[in-house]
Amino acid sequence: MSLIYPSSAAWSAGPDGWLAIVERVNWHTAGAAAVHGLLALLALGVAQTAMPHRALAWRQGAIALLVLALVQLCALDLLFVEVVRTVARAGGWYQDRRKLQSLFLVVLLLGGLVVAWRRAVEPAAVRPRRGLLAAQAARPPEGDAWLRTGMGLLLVVAVLRFVSLHATDQWLGWRIEGVSLGRWIEAVGLTIVALRAGWLLRTEAPGTGG
């Protein structure tokens, strides 16, 4: 098992390989899962105190963080990869699976670019005016840009692990100071979410005058 995160090379065929990985989860992986879980609780706290236009986004972020914690602790991405490989071998399309993986990544990339364009490029004031009262244009935009940025980094890493292309696995496994690049990206995403949550709890909690 990898020191930082279990790789597909740690697999042995069948569900026993997945169980072996789960049983050997080290403190690095368990610690990362715990950080995701604690941050999920913090996000729930933000959702209770944040302004109404941000509350739903933080509830969704909390759920996503809990799911990511479970994925890491139980190595569900590796289980998914092994199940797909087993099905591919049984179905006779094992050699073609990389084409499907690449196509899936392209679709996700295009979808992400569309969402980013709508959120960042299109003027925020234009969206509420479409088919709604002009007075609604004065409302602040829904969601939280900092939360989207941090969660976006975490979800990108998670998706790349589920897709598990050889090139992306190598890229995520590249070591910097003994820590995989995937872990560094996760650390940046978690830090962004944590700092934003701390700021909102300080400025928007009841009695803070935010």
Side-chain angles (χ1 to χ4, degrees):
M1 182 174 182
S2 169
L3 178 63
I4 304 300
Y5 192 81
S7 66
S8 56
W11 273 99
S12 60
D16 290 342
W18 171 65
L19 292 175
I21 287 178
V22 173
E23 289 172 357
R24 287 160 39 192
V25 166
N26 55 31
W27 70 269
H28 297 278
T29 303
V35 171
H36 281 75
L38 290 174
L39 199 51
L41 296 178
L42 184 62
L44 284 175
V46 174
Q48 297 299 317
T49 60
M51 303 287 259
H53 65 279
R54 273 194 275 267
L56 178 59
W58 280 92
R59 291 191 195 98
Q60 294 171 340
I63 294 173
L65 285 165
L66 285 174
V67 171
L68 290 175
L70 182 63
V71 166
Q72 298 216 16
L73 194 60
C74 297
L76 297 181
D77 50 349
L78 297 182
L79 174 62
F80 175 80
V81 170
E82 183 64 14
V83 168
V84 170
R85 287 177 178 171
T86 301
V87 172
R89 290 190 186 98
W93 49 275
Y94 183 79
Q95 298 300 324
D96 297 326
R97 78 190 191 286
R98 295 196 185 279
K99 297 178 182 178
L100 296 175
Q101 291 171 308
S102 300
L103 178 61
F104 183 67
L105 278 181
V106 169
V107 171
L108 286 179
L109 176 61
L110 292 177
L113 289 175
V114 170
V115 172
W117 178 80
R118 284 185 57 82
R119 289 290 184 176
V121 179
E122 186 181 27
V126 173
R127 293 194 296 270
R129 287 195 178 101
R130 293 177 178 172
L132 299 176
L133 297 174
Q136 291 179 316
R139 294 187 310 179
E142 297 291 329
D144 189 308
W146 285 106
L147 176 64
R148 285 197 299 269
T149 300
M151 292 303 303
L153 292 174
L154 297 175
L155 291 174
V156 164
V157 173
V159 167
L160 290 179
R161 285 176 177 155
F162 270 96
V163 175
S164 191
L165 274 172
H166 179 68
T168 56
D169 285 346
Q170 284 190 322
W171 179 68
L172 290 176
W174 183 43
R175 300 285 169 169
I176 302 175
E177 298 296 326
V179 179
S180 68
L181 180 59
R183 283 291 187 222
W184 281 113
I185 297 174
E186 283 180 336
V188 172
L190 290 168
T191 300
I192 291 173
V193 175
L195 290 176
R196 180 58 171 168
W199 174 261
L200 291 178
L201 287 173
R202 178 184 177 186
T203 58
E204 295 188 0
T208 60

